[in-house]
Amino acid sequence: MAKKQVSLHVVRLSVLVLLSCFVNYSVCKQIKTYKLSRGKLSVTFTNYGAVMTSLLFPDRHGKQDDVVLGFDIVDSYKNDTTYFGAIVGRVANRIGGAKFKLNGHLYKTDPNEGHNTLHGGSKGFSDVIWSVENYVPTSHITFKYHSFDGEEGFPGNVTVKVTYMLIGENKLALKMEAKPLNKPTPINLALHTYWNLHGHNSGDILSHKIQLLARKITPVDEELIPTGEITSIEGTPYDFLEPRKI
C-alpha cells in the first residue's frame, strides 16, 4: 500500500511539472553558458537573453583582458536593469506613450519606464531563455527565440535568430534575423554590450578614441523619445566622422 501511495505522489508531481511547463515553458528550460574560442580570442555567452558575458582578447602589447562589462554569476542577469550584453527587442530603445499605430490599428505595449516602453517591455528578449539551434565551439553559436502574438503587447508571432561567429583569428561577428510569421510587426533588435577596451576593471572609457561614419542624428526630447527630426551632426558634440576621444 505504501509503495502505491508513493507511486501516486510521483505521478501527481509529474503531472504538476508538465502542467507548469505547458503554462510557462521557460520554467522547464535551463539557463546554460557557452564558449567560443579560436587563437587568443575567447567569448562566453548565456542563453538567458542571448547575453555575451565576456570577451577575452589581448591588446597590442599582448596583455589579455575581458573587454565587456557583465556579471560573474549568470543568475545576476535576471535582475539586471542595465541590459549588460543582451539582445534587446522586439524594439530596442523607447516607444513613446507605450503605444503605436500599424496599418490603422492601435497597439498598446508594456510601459516599463514610466509611461513609455523600453527595450521591448518588462519581459523583452533580454529576459527570456533562448534555445540553441547550432553550436560549434571553435566557430559559431546560434540562439533562437519564438516570440508569441501579443507578447508585451506586440502583434504577431515572430521567430528571432542571433548568430555570434568567429572570423579568422581575431574577429567576432554578429548576425541578427527576425521573421514575422502571421502579422506585420515592428522589429528593431540591438546588442546592448558595454565595452571597455582597456579591460572591464580599468576605469572609465574617456580616453578611448571612436569613429562613427554617420552625418546625421535623430534628436530626442526630455524623455529620450525621438522627436522625428533628422539633423546634421556638423558643429555638435556628435561629430565623430574623424577618430577622436570620447
Side-chain angles (χ1 to χ4, degrees):
M1 185 66 179
K3 287 184 179 180
K4 289 184 178 180
Q5 288 179 339
V6 170
S7 299
L8 185 58
H9 286 308
V10 171
V11 170
R12 286 175 176 169
L13 181 60
S14 299
V15 171
L16 287 173
V17 170
L18 287 172
L19 285 173
S20 179
C21 290
F22 181 78
V23 174
N24 185 3
Y25 181 51
S26 64
V27 169
C28 296
K29 297 173 81 175
Q30 291 185 334
I31 298 176
K32 298 181 180 180
T33 58
Y34 304 85
K35 183 177 181 179
L36 295 179
S37 60
R38 183 186 297 169
K40 296 180 180 179
L41 176 62
S42 175
V43 198
T44 58
F45 310 92
T46 173
N47 59 335
Y48 187 86
V51 169
M52 182 196 305
T53 57
S54 71
L55 194 160
L56 289 168
F57 191 71
D59 62 17
R60 59 184 173 181
H61 303 295
K63 180 188 175 185
Q64 192 174 48
D65 210 336
D66 183 3
V67 296
V68 302
L69 276 61
F71 299 105
D72 295 327
I73 301 173
V74 172
D75 277 354
S76 298
Y77 288 96
K78 294 179 181 179
N79 301 311
D80 178 28
T81 58
T82 56
Y83 303 92
F84 276 143
I87 298 295
V88 295
R90 285 187 195 188
V91 175
N93 215 331
R94 293 164 178 84
I95 297 177
K99 59 185 177 181
F100 64 91
K101 273 190 175 182
L102 182 61
N103 293 340
H105 185 85
L106 178 66
Y107 293 95
K108 295 182 179 181
T109 52
D110 174 47
N112 62 321
E113 187 189 60
H115 59 274
N116 304 317
T117 297
L118 174 64
H119 296 332
S122 301
K123 198 173 178 63
F125 293 172
S126 58
D127 287 305
V128 297
I129 300 176
W130 296 55
S131 61
V132 174
E133 184 178 69
N134 203 310
Y135 176 44
V136 179
T138 58
S139 174
H140 65 276
I141 185 167
T142 298
F143 294 101
K144 183 178 180 180
Y145 179 66
H146 177 76
S147 179
F148 58 87
D149 185 14
E151 185 174 24
E152 301 301 287
F154 291 96
N157 297 316
V158 177
T159 296
V160 187
K161 293 184 181 182
V162 173
T163 300
Y164 296 93
M165 63 195 92
L166 301 177
I167 299 176
E169 293 297 317
N170 59 2
K171 293 181 181 178
L172 174 68
L174 171 66
K175 181 180 180 181
M176 296 185 287
E177 306 170 85
K179 182 179 180 181
L181 302 179
N182 53 359
K183 293 180 183 178
T185 189
I187 296 285
N188 182 34
L189 305 177
L191 173 62
H192 207 280
T193 297
Y194 294 74
W195 302 86
N196 189 330
L197 301 182
H198 291 314
H200 68 116
N201 281 325
S202 64
D204 63 47
I205 60 169
L206 298 182
S207 63
H208 283 37
K209 286 186 178 180
I210 190 171
Q211 183 178 26
L212 301 173
L213 302 179
R215 297 182 178 277
K216 299 192 178 198
I217 59 170
T218 54
V220 296
D221 62 20
E222 64 279 359
E223 293 187 327
L224 303 181
I225 305 296
T227 63
E229 301 172 274
I230 299 177
T231 62
S232 171
I233 50 89
E234 186 177 353
T236 74
Y238 300 106
D239 186 349
F240 287 93
L241 289 174
E242 298 296 328
R244 66 183 180 89
K245 287 185 178 182
I246 295 174

